[in-house]
Amino acid sequence: MIYENEVNYRKELYKSLKIDCEKCFGFCCVALYFSKTEGFPNDKDAGKPCINLKSDFKCSVHKNLREKGLKGCTAYDCFGAGQKVAQVTYGGKDWRENPQRANQMFDTFLIMRQLHEMLWYLTNALNAQDNSIIKEEISHMIEETIKLTNLEDINIMKLDLVSHRNKVNAILSKTSEVVRYNTNMGRKSTLKWKKTIAGRPNFIGADLKKTNLRGADLRGALLIAADLRGVDLSGADLIGADLRDADIRGANLTNSIFITQGQINGAKGDSNTKLPVALTRPTYW
């Protein structure tokens, strides 16, 4: 471990995975493909700057994203990959200064974003896990992943992300099973679903206010516009769940696992929504 005190260790990890646009070069506004139908300013090819990106890499409409209906922009989270690539991988040299390396920078950012996302989930697993043996396994995987993020760009491009992600997913699944089992004291969740879309549990627009979701397996679930007001989601696994416009006012997500800032940013909450300490309450709630 880097820190003797595990609490400080986790805090430092979470801190490094928070976005800091001031130290980035607008990678998310350039490297990504945009679709206007998904809440972005316009349809845009990957590698092309957003129409709102200024010369100083700031967004010209950042303060009015919600008013303009740009939910895709407000929900996106790079898990701190932007500033890592800008300040560490490329030492503060931006893609406008180095147009010949721009595409390589963008590709590196997209890979780094995946590594940082894995680090977010692993840190969450470390926080949720009580089993000392599994915690040690998680810690080793965190250190292994951090080492990958510190590689030179040419080596980052050569990474076998599928293989590494499979190892990470095995640990996350193990943690999910333990947390959900302990939350329900060994009883299985009563949540039932029959319909799926592309293999994902379909709860689009569903009224789940009276459903027991403690320790529920909501991995990859489509919860778009679902009514989750006042629901206790303690121990529920929300990895990959689509919470766009889900109503989580008054819901308790304090001990939900594998939930991200992006999911929270896309949902509808209020001052009574309880969030994990690592997440920030959106100002527009």
Side-chain angles (χ1 to χ4, degrees):
M1 284 244 180
I2 297 176
Y3 301 94
E4 291 183 0
N5 187 314
E6 187 184 306
V7 174
N8 289 336
Y9 177 66
R10 293 198 307 267
K11 284 183 179 179
E12 288 300 313
L13 280 170
Y14 276 131
K15 184 179 179 181
S16 69
L17 300 172
K18 294 277 190 177
I19 60 172
D20 188 348
C21 298
E22 294 293 328
K23 295 180 179 179
C24 183
F25 299 137
F27 285 121
C28 64
C29 304
V30 187
L32 301 178
Y33 159 79
F34 280 2
S35 172
K36 190 172 183 178
T37 59
E38 295 180 355
F40 290 97
N42 63 337
D43 293 334
K44 180 188 82 64
D45 292 331
K48 181 179 179 181
C50 172
I51 57 175
N52 295 316
L53 184 65
K54 300 192 295 183
S55 60
D56 61 359
F57 303 110
K58 293 182 179 179
C59 174
S60 62
V61 295
H62 180 71
K63 294 182 179 179
N64 306 109
L65 291 174
R66 298 292 294 188
E67 290 81 352
K68 291 181 175 292
L70 302 179
K71 295 182 179 180
C73 296
T74 57
Y76 183 76
D77 184 5
C78 76
F79 298 97
Q83 65 260 27
K84 182 65 175 281
V85 172
Q87 303 304 326
V88 178
T89 311
Y90 291 102
K93 297 179 180 179
D94 66 69
W95 49 272
R96 282 187 171 131
E97 291 180 90
N98 301 272
Q100 72 281 0
R101 300 187 70 185
N103 289 333
Q104 187 169 341
M105 288 183 176
F106 302 152
D107 290 341
T108 299
F109 165 73
L110 295 176
I111 295 172
M112 187 71 76
R113 197 264 182 191
Q114 294 181 64
L115 291 171
H116 273 226
E117 182 180 23
M118 291 182 220
L119 280 173
W120 177 273
Y121 290 135
L122 286 168
T123 305
N124 196 184
L126 186 64
N127 184 60
Q129 186 60 255
D130 291 325
N131 185 293
S132 60
I133 296 176
I134 300 179
K135 289 184 78 156
E136 190 64 27
E137 185 179 355
I138 295 170
S139 295
H140 285 310
M141 186 57 66
I142 287 175
E143 296 307 318
E144 182 180 335
T145 307
I146 289 176
K147 287 180 181 179
L148 297 181
T149 69
N150 289 323
L151 293 172
E152 293 184 359
D153 58 354
I154 190 171
N155 291 320
I156 289 177
M157 300 286 290
K158 296 177 181 178
L159 289 177
D160 183 353
L161 277 182
V162 174
S163 176
H164 189 70
R165 187 183 294 279
N166 286 339
K167 291 190 291 183
V168 170
N169 285 342
I171 293 176
L172 300 182
S173 294
K174 193 181 301 183
T175 296
S176 175
E177 291 173 7
V178 171
V179 171
R180 290 185 290 110
Y181 180 88
N182 290 341
T183 300
N184 290 320
M185 294 180 289
R187 296 189 298 271
K188 291 185 177 181
S189 171
T190 59
L191 179 66
K192 297 185 183 300
W193 48 272
K194 295 180 180 179
K195 296 182 179 179
T196 62
I197 296 179
R200 302 176 66 178
N202 176 20
F203 298 107
I204 297 177
D207 184 351
L208 299 172
K209 294 194 301 297
K210 296 181 179 180
T211 306
N212 177 17
L213 295 179
R214 284 178 54 83
D217 181 359
L218 293 170
R219 289 175 286 187
L222 298 172
L223 293 163
I224 301 170
D227 191 343
L228 293 161
R229 285 177 292 170
V231 173
D232 185 0
L233 288 155
S234 296
D237 186 342
L238 289 162
I239 194 168
D242 193 334
L243 290 170
R244 284 178 294 169
D245 291 324
D247 194 340
I248 57 174
R249 287 176 292 175
N252 181 13
L253 295 94
T254 307
N255 295 310
S256 299
I257 56 175
F258 307 138
I259 188 167
T260 68
Q261 189 66 51
Q263 288 171 300
I264 291 299
N265 290 348
K268 296 179 179 178
D270 61 12
S271 59
N272 293 316
T273 304
K274 297 178 181 178
L275 299 176
V277 293
L279 298 180
T280 303
R281 190 180 306 276
T283 57
Y284 45 81
W285 276 9

